[in-house]
């Protein structure tokens, strides 16, 4: 699985056979990308941006179409995400707490493509 920021897209490499000129990559409901493979067994493309995303994470299946047909959907997946926090340094970020939460102590865990943080304490005042 590949993680991709929703607004920016990202580079993805697919491996297979018989990739020819005119190959097209489909990324679920996000859209299609025309690519020109440089090798018959590998294609690299930039995942299309998904700025209209509603949820914070959306997993989209990738298909590849060549003159020989279309691959099975769901073998390769791309996670699009909307970051609910703004990084201000390598060790700090600013997050907006959803309205309606009760005051008091809580914990927050940050989930990224590289893994998850330990739970960190915070207080809603």
């Amino acid at each position: 699985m590949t993680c991709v920021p929703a607004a920016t897209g990202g580079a993805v490499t697919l491996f297979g056979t018989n990739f020819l000129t005119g190959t097209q990559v489909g990324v679920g409901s996000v859209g299609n990308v025309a690519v020109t493979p440089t090798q018959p067994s590998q294609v690299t493309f930039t995942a299309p941006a998904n700025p209209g995303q509603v949820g914070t994470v959306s997993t989209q299946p990738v298909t590849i179409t060549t003159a020989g047909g279309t691959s099975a959907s769901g073998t390769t997946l791309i996670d699009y995400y909307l970051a609910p926090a703004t990084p201000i340094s390598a060790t700090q970020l600013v997050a907006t707490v959803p309205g309606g939460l009760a005051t008091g102590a809580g914990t927050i865990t940050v989930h990224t493509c590289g893994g998850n943080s330990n739970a960190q304490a915070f207080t809603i005042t």
Side-chain angles (χ1 to χ4, degrees):
M1 186 165 320
T2 302
C3 292
V4 179
T8 60
V12 178
T13 300
L14 299 175
F15 298 93
T17 57
N18 299 321
F19 294 153
L20 308 168
T21 301
T23 298
Q24 189 170 9
V25 174
V27 181
S29 62
V30 178
N32 295 322
V33 179
V35 295
T36 304
T38 57
Q39 301 176 32
S41 62
Q42 176 179 326
V43 63
T44 299
F45 68 97
T46 299
N50 189 7
Q53 183 118 354
V54 176
T56 56
V57 175
S58 172
T59 300
Q60 298 292 320
V62 175
T63 57
I64 190 160
T65 301
T66 68
T70 300
S71 68
S73 178
T75 303
T76 302
L77 303 171
I78 295 178
D79 272 345
Y80 282 87
Y81 64 92
L82 291 178
T86 304
I88 57 175
S89 74
T91 59
Q92 295 180 344
L93 54 88
V94 174
T96 302
V97 177
L101 295 179
T103 59
T107 60
I108 186 171
T109 304
V110 177
H111 302 275
T112 70
C113 293
N116 303 325
S117 72
N118 294 326
Q120 299 294 313
F122 73 96
T123 302
I124 298 174
T125 55

